Amino acid sequence: MSRGKREFENITVGYSNQADQEDSRKNGYVEFFGITRVRKGTFLNEEVVQSEKIINDIVAMDAGFDPNQLPDLSIGQTNIFNERIMPKITEKYGNFHTIDWLRDLSKDKYRHKWLKKQKEKGKLIDKLQAWHDAGSGWFCVLLIGLGAGIAAGVVDIGSNWTSNIKSGYCKKAFWLNREQCCWDALNITYDNYKNPICDEWISWTEVLGLKSGSTEYFFALIIHVIFAVMFGTVAAVLVKVYAPYACGSGVPEIKTILSGFVIRGYLGKWTLIIKSLGMILGSSAGLTLGKEGPFVHVASCCGNIFSYFFPKYGRNEAKKREILSAAASAGVAVAFGAPIGGVLFSLEEVSYYFPLKTLWRSFFCAMVAAFIVRTINPYGKERDVIFFIEYQPEWSFFELIPFIILGLLGGLFGYYFIKVNILWCKIRKTTKLGKFPITEVILISLITAFFGFFNEYTRMSMPELIRRLVGKCGPSDDSYLCDYAKNITSANEEVIPTKDNFGVHEAIWKLFLALLFYLVMLVLTFGIKIPCGLFVPSLAIGAITGRIIGIAMEILSFNYPSFFVFAAGCNENVACIIPGVYAIVGACAFLGGATRMTVSLVVIMVELTSGLSLIVPLMVSAFSAKLFGEFLCPGGIYDAHINLNNYPFLDNKEDYEFSAFAVDVMKPQKNDPPLTVLIQDGMTISQIEEITEKSNFTGFPIVVSHESQLLVGYILKRDLVMAFDQYKKSGLVNSNTLVKFSKTLSNKKNETCIKLDRLVEMAPICVSDQTPMDTVTDLFKKMGLSILLVTHFGKLLGVITKKDILKHLAEEREKKNL
């Protein structure tokens, strides 16, 4: 044997331990970077190789064959000097794939252990690196809170101004809306609907020289419709051209993403920009939609973008979802000025995995976001939201009955709204209407603006309408909603029960018409291809219903004071019925009926109105709406849209209610093609590549042989593709090179081969074929599995994925309903 060959046999390159080194010498392999092994005594079919040549080749490979780019680096990597380098997480999931929670969280644990071990060495650089890693999560949510707060401030200011620009502009400062323009006016007055009138605000009809009469009304209608259609059209065009994912509320998709589904581009920078612009234009068009729900999507976009500044989260999909959960709480916080409600919303409604540290970071993120909105002060007078109450709400015990009735009406509203809206969305998908989204937006904008103009309550923006409905009538309030016979001599006196006048009656029937209008338009609008939320329309419909019932109760208490209910609960000199309280409770009930939220909804309403004394009525109405709505139809509007779009969302709040076993659900079944597997020994690179190219699977089980079907492990498709790409770039292999997946396998034929045992998951999650499906479902929910292997006495029978479970549940429910 030559000198060069003897040196080659004695070289140790990157062995993970001495046992691996000895195993390689016995079985005829040399290992590069702990991954590549070639036959001892040869170097890619060269019989004699000098030791200097081997080292030079290894060093040269370092630039084009970076071992840190291979997927299986969670436990660290060994370089040519046998030193440990920091493990990198490079999980790259395909679009519309489900992440593997166990794998990702395991990688992060190994990375954390490596940092802790390095810190113990005492070097300053290692300590700084560990401290940076520990604080990166808090710094990331800080940036998300800042970004979400700034985005919300810009959207609120922009939507307030553009909503008012349809009727006129402010002469002294064109960037002010109508209310802000008249704040400092000396001769400010109000019309019958409490709209401010001042000389500083000039209408477009005044610009045209029209004073009053039918001509002015006609031109005001034309201008109003033109602006509305223009805003809606621009929003639709922006969404279709630049960011198709910016349409809708985004909450169903956020729930699905947080459950582990990957939708590339849904949380990108273009989606953030177009969503924000679309929210301004859509709400300004006067459409029956809200911008509060889409704030969750906007904040989640901020979370996704900022997470890439921190590799700990940007390269690990499971860890990124902790950040996205915190971002979702910031979205609700900036929408309603309710940071605590935002945290509870994230926990109750959208988050799938919510550990304690995520709770703390969500609270911090929501706090920062709410503080930024308060600092920007988009509504003036240091208000976080446009609708609020400036009085101390009071209620009597007997009013719990109408509050429960409001809750039942909210549940009924939610049931019919979900049914009709889903039916309309199916029609939109299955007909030509879905092929012309911009035309649909133009038509709905035209209908909404034209018919909404004739009713003052539908002409104003919905947040402004809610603010007036939840308000309390004061001594000097002469609007139609407060048109009662005044019997007081001072503005400082308490308003006592008085007789209702004509204005109240007119307000009731106009509110009733507005209620019908919003019910119809909400069904048609929710789901169109522009940013559209559900929160504010549901609140507006509930507030209208509550105000009408509150006025009716007020009239009854005045006309029948001796009735035992009113006699026991009301004082003749005190107004015991406040219609604004009913509007608040009704808004909570109807939003709860549509979304089926409970705890987070009550907290949001309390923070929104500062009505802590209304905690019991709000709880009663929300619970009644939830209970009655679930009795009629389980699941809220977001769950219905998840099912409509066939997203792979396995609700962790639902229990498995059928009788089945793993063998009944697994693939393949009797008439299905055989399961695609890899053999641990004897397959070439070309054979494996042919399998990966033809299949759409995310991974492949590895068995001993086709005959035995004994399970060895599981390997991901992306790991195979990445490994083969790196090997081919190095020029060390060809299509006929053998691939082996076992650690203990010998190479008796002395063939050139590569070993990928370190990429194989040797302990995949397996269940017996007789495992009940309720146990299987719990494994997917609580462990975040992407795939489960089914075996019988160690032999592979099939696999179960999340989509298989969802398909099985849909089939069983369909059989149950037949």
Side-chain angles (χ1 to χ4, degrees):
M1 184 179 293
S2 66
R3 178 176 176 272
K5 191 170 183 178
R6 287 196 300 272
E7 289 188 358
F8 175 68
E9 291 177 338
N10 294 327
I11 286 178
T12 301
V13 184
Y15 294 100
S16 56
N17 52 52
Q18 188 65 25
D20 282 347
Q21 179 180 343
E22 294 298 329
D23 175 68
S24 298
R25 294 189 179 191
K26 291 177 182 179
N27 299 321
Y29 297 96
V30 174
E31 179 173 353
F32 293 102
F33 304 110
I35 297 174
T36 308
R37 293 181 179 180
V38 297
R39 187 157 47 92
K40 178 175 62 177
T42 66
F43 191 80
L44 294 182
N45 300 324
E46 293 184 15
E47 291 296 329
V48 180
V49 184
Q50 298 295 327
S51 60
E52 293 82 6
K53 177 69 165 66
I54 298 172
I55 296 177
N56 291 337
D57 284 342
I58 296 172
V59 175
M61 286 168 56
D62 195 21
F65 186 89
D66 184 4
N68 293 331
Q69 299 303 316
L70 288 176
D72 194 30
L73 301 173
S74 58
I75 59 174
Q77 181 62 47
T78 308
N79 63 13
I80 61 175
F81 301 106
N82 203 26
E83 294 178 354
R84 304 294 287 180
I85 61 176
M86 182 175 180
K88 294 183 179 180
I89 300 172
T90 56
E91 291 291 0
K92 184 69 174 179
Y93 292 97
N95 198 18
F96 303 115
H97 285 181
T98 302
I99 70 171
D100 191 328
W101 290 83
L102 282 180
R103 184 182 178 90
D104 286 2
L105 293 177
S106 176
K107 287 177 178 294
D108 186 71
K109 289 179 182 178
Y110 281 119
R111 184 195 55 81
H112 183 72
K113 290 179 180 178
W114 185 91
L115 285 172
K116 185 177 180 181
K117 185 177 180 180
Q118 293 297 108
K119 182 181 177 182
E120 293 174 353
K121 294 181 179 180
K123 295 182 180 180
L124 180 60
I125 186 66
D126 294 328
K127 291 183 178 180
L128 292 176
Q129 190 176 20
W131 292 335
H132 172 266
D133 181 79
S136 60
W138 292 100
F139 192 58
C140 184
V141 295
L142 171 64
L143 293 178
I144 295 170
L146 293 173
I150 293 173
V154 172
V155 170
D156 287 336
I157 293 174
S159 60
N160 288 339
W161 182 78
T162 50
S163 295
N164 285 265
I165 203 67
K166 293 184 295 185
S167 60
Y169 68 96
C170 185
K171 291 189 294 185
K172 64 179 181 180
F174 71 91
W175 59 85
L176 297 178
N177 59 35
R178 184 170 182 174
E179 182 183 11
Q180 294 169 343
C181 185
C182 296
W183 275 347
D184 300 328
L186 298 177
N187 56 345
I188 183 173
T189 57
Y190 294 90
D191 62 13
N192 294 328
Y193 300 95
K194 214 174 180 179
N195 293 312
I197 301 174
C198 62
D199 295 335
E200 285 78 5
W201 180 263
I202 180 171
S203 65
W204 294 116
T205 54
E206 291 176 338
V207 174
L208 296 175
L210 302 174
K211 296 293 183 179
S212 60
S214 59
T215 304
E216 179 197 13
Y217 192 83
F218 175 76
F219 275 96
L221 170 63
I222 296 299
I223 295 172
H224 178 85
V225 172
I226 290 175
F227 270 109
V229 174
M230 180 181 66
F231 289 152
T233 304
V234 173
V237 171
L238 288 175
V239 169
K240 184 176 182 180
V241 175
Y242 295 102
Y245 283 149
C247 64
S249 69
V251 176
E253 288 76 13
I254 297 300
K255 287 185 66 173
T256 308
I257 290 173
L258 289 179
S259 72
F261 195 53
V262 177
I263 307 179
R264 296 294 177 193
Y266 196 82
L267 302 177
K269 58 181 182 300
W270 275 109
T271 304
L272 170 63
I273 296 171
I274 301 303
K275 188 91 173 185
S276 301
L277 293 175
M279 290 161 61
I280 296 174
L281 296 170
S283 60
S284 303
L287 295 171
T288 310
L289 51 83
K291 61 182 186 296
E292 279 68 18
F295 272 133
V296 176
H297 190 183
V298 168
S300 298
C301 289
C302 294
N304 180 65
I305 293 171
F306 284 120
S307 68
Y308 285 103
F309 291 98
F310 305 91
K312 175 182 178 180
Y313 300 102
R315 295 178 179 175
N316 191 311
E317 292 291 341
K319 295 294 293 181
K320 182 190 292 185
R321 272 144 184 80
E322 297 179 14
I323 296 298
L324 295 180
S325 294
S329 66
V332 176
V334 298
F336 295 106
I340 300 177
V343 175
L344 293 176
F345 173 82
S346 179
L347 173 61
E348 178 184 6
E349 188 63 23
V350 298
S351 292
Y352 201 85
Y353 174 68
F354 204 83
L356 185 60
K357 59 183 176 181
T358 302
L359 177 68
W360 300 336
R361 290 171 181 167
S362 298
F363 180 81
F364 178 71
C365 186
M367 178 188 68
V368 172
F371 173 77
I372 295 300
V373 174
R374 172 61 68 91
T375 303
I376 295 176
N377 194 22
Y379 300 107
K381 297 183 179 180
E382 296 183 354
R383 296 176 348 221
D384 294 335
V385 292
I386 194 171
F387 41 92
F388 63 99
I389 58 175
E390 296 177 324
Y391 61 91
Q392 182 63 35
E394 299 176 356
W395 59 281
S396 301
F397 181 77
F398 71 89
E399 292 180 280
L400 287 177
I401 297 176
F403 294 157
I404 293 176
I405 294 175
L406 281 172
L408 298 178
L409 291 176
L412 191 64
F413 157 76
Y415 169 72
Y416 281 107
F417 166 67
I418 293 172
K419 289 294 184 183
V420 179
N421 179 254
I422 294 300
L423 177 61
W424 176 250
C425 289
K426 289 181 179 179
I427 294 174
R428 180 187 289 125
K429 279 189 170 186
T430 56
T431 61
K432 292 184 179 180
L433 183 63
K435 299 179 181 179
F436 304 98
I438 297 179
T439 304
E440 182 186 13
V441 173
I442 293 174
L443 290 176
I444 292 180
S445 300
L446 180 62
I447 294 172
T448 305
F450 181 80
F451 290 101
F453 184 83
F454 299 104
N455 188 340
E456 188 66 34
Y457 293 121
T458 55
R459 189 189 312 175
M460 67 179 67
S461 65
M462 282 185 290
E464 180 65 24
L465 173 62
I466 297 172
R467 189 181 68 161
R468 297 181 187 182
L469 292 174
V470 302
K472 182 180 180 181
C473 294
S476 59
D477 194 341
D478 294 326
S479 64
Y480 279 158
L481 280 174
C482 299
D483 187 15
Y484 296 92
K486 300 295 190 298
N487 56 359
I488 57 176
T489 58
S490 172
N492 295 324
E493 295 183 16
E494 177 69 22
V495 178
I496 62 175
T498 56
K499 182 175 177 55
D500 50 287
N501 286 334
F502 170 77
V504 175
H505 301 161
E506 182 171 347
I508 288 177
W509 73 262
K510 284 192 173 182
L511 284 175
F512 182 74
L513 292 177
L515 176 63
L516 297 179
F517 177 80
Y518 282 137
L519 285 173
V520 174
M521 296 312 302
L522 178 58
V523 171
L524 299 178
T525 305
F526 190 71
I528 61 176
K529 299 304 180 181
I530 63 173
C532 54
L534 177 71
F535 281 19
V536 168
S538 299
L539 290 173
I541 293 172
I544 292 173
T545 306
R547 186 77 183 202
I548 293 175
I549 294 178
I551 293 175
M553 289 290 295
E554 187 179 37
I555 294 174
L556 287 174
S557 67
F558 175 76
N559 292 326
Y560 303 97
S562 59
F563 187 61
F564 73 96
V565 173
F566 302 123
C570 294
N571 190 324
E572 294 184 359
N573 298 321
V574 178
C576 66
I577 305 293
I578 303 177
V581 171
Y582 286 75
I584 297 172
V585 175
C588 176
F590 277 62
L591 180 56
T595 62
R596 308 297 162 81
M597 296 160 52
T598 51
V599 179
S600 59
L601 175 60
V602 172
V603 175
I604 288 172
M605 294 301 298
V606 170
E607 292 185 276
L608 181 64
T609 61
S610 300
L612 187 59
S613 60
L614 293 179
I615 186 74
V616 173
L618 292 173
M619 292 175 67
V620 167
S621 64
F623 181 76
S624 302
K626 167 78 172 180
L627 192 65
F628 191 52
E630 289 292 319
F631 172 76
L632 296 175
C633 178
I637 183 64
Y638 300 133
D639 300 307
H641 274 267
I642 288 175
N643 295 330
L644 175 67
N645 295 318
N646 293 320
Y647 292 138
F649 179 77
L650 190 60
D651 195 348
N652 53 8
K653 303 181 183 68
E654 294 182 358
D655 294 327
Y656 184 83
E657 54 183 337
F658 307 105
S659 298
F661 297 94
V663 69
D664 302 322
V665 181
M666 72 176 191
K667 299 294 181 182
Q669 293 293 316
K670 290 183 178 179
N671 298 325
D672 295 337
L675 184 66
T676 302
V677 297
L678 301 180
I679 307 302
Q680 71 171 357
D681 181 20
M683 299 189 73
T684 64
I685 291 180
S686 61
Q687 291 174 332
I688 296 177
E689 286 182 331
E690 183 180 358
I691 293 175
T692 57
E693 290 174 359
K694 291 182 178 180
S695 65
N696 296 323
F697 306 120
T698 58
F700 304 97
I702 301 173
V703 296
V704 174
S705 65
H706 285 298
E707 292 76 18
S708 68
Q709 290 292 310
L710 289 174
L711 181 64
V712 175
Y714 185 81
I715 189 168
L716 294 176
K717 178 180 178 179
R718 62 176 181 271
D719 290 357
L720 279 172
V721 173
M722 292 174 67
F724 289 163
D725 288 344
Q726 294 290 357
Y727 282 126
K728 287 181 178 180
K729 289 178 182 178
S730 67
L732 301 178
V733 298
N734 54 51
S735 298
N736 295 322
T737 301
L738 292 178
V739 180
K740 299 182 182 295
F741 298 103
S742 176
K743 291 184 177 180
T744 59
L745 204 62
S746 62
N747 185 25
K748 298 179 181 179
K749 297 180 180 180
N750 285 335
E751 297 172 321
T752 301
C753 62
I754 58 175
K755 292 194 69 175
L756 299 180
D757 55 280
R758 297 188 64 181
L759 299 182
V760 177
E761 187 178 356
M762 294 296 182
I765 304 298
C766 304
V767 295
S768 168
D769 55 339
Q770 296 302 311
T771 303
M773 276 306 297
D774 54 351
T775 302
V776 173
T777 305
D778 285 339
L779 286 174
F780 274 89
K781 291 177 181 178
K782 297 176 181 179
M783 300 183 69
L785 302 179
S786 61
I787 192 170
L788 190 66
L789 304 183
V790 182
T791 62
H792 180 73
F793 294 114
K795 294 184 178 182
L796 180 66
L797 294 183
V799 298
I800 299 177
T801 64
K802 184 184 290 187
K803 292 182 180 180
D804 293 332
I805 296 179
L806 292 171
K807 183 180 178 180
H808 166 71
L809 290 174
E811 292 174 352
E812 292 295 326
R813 287 166 183 163
E814 186 177 354
K815 293 178 183 177
K816 184 179 179 181
N817 295 330
L818 291 178

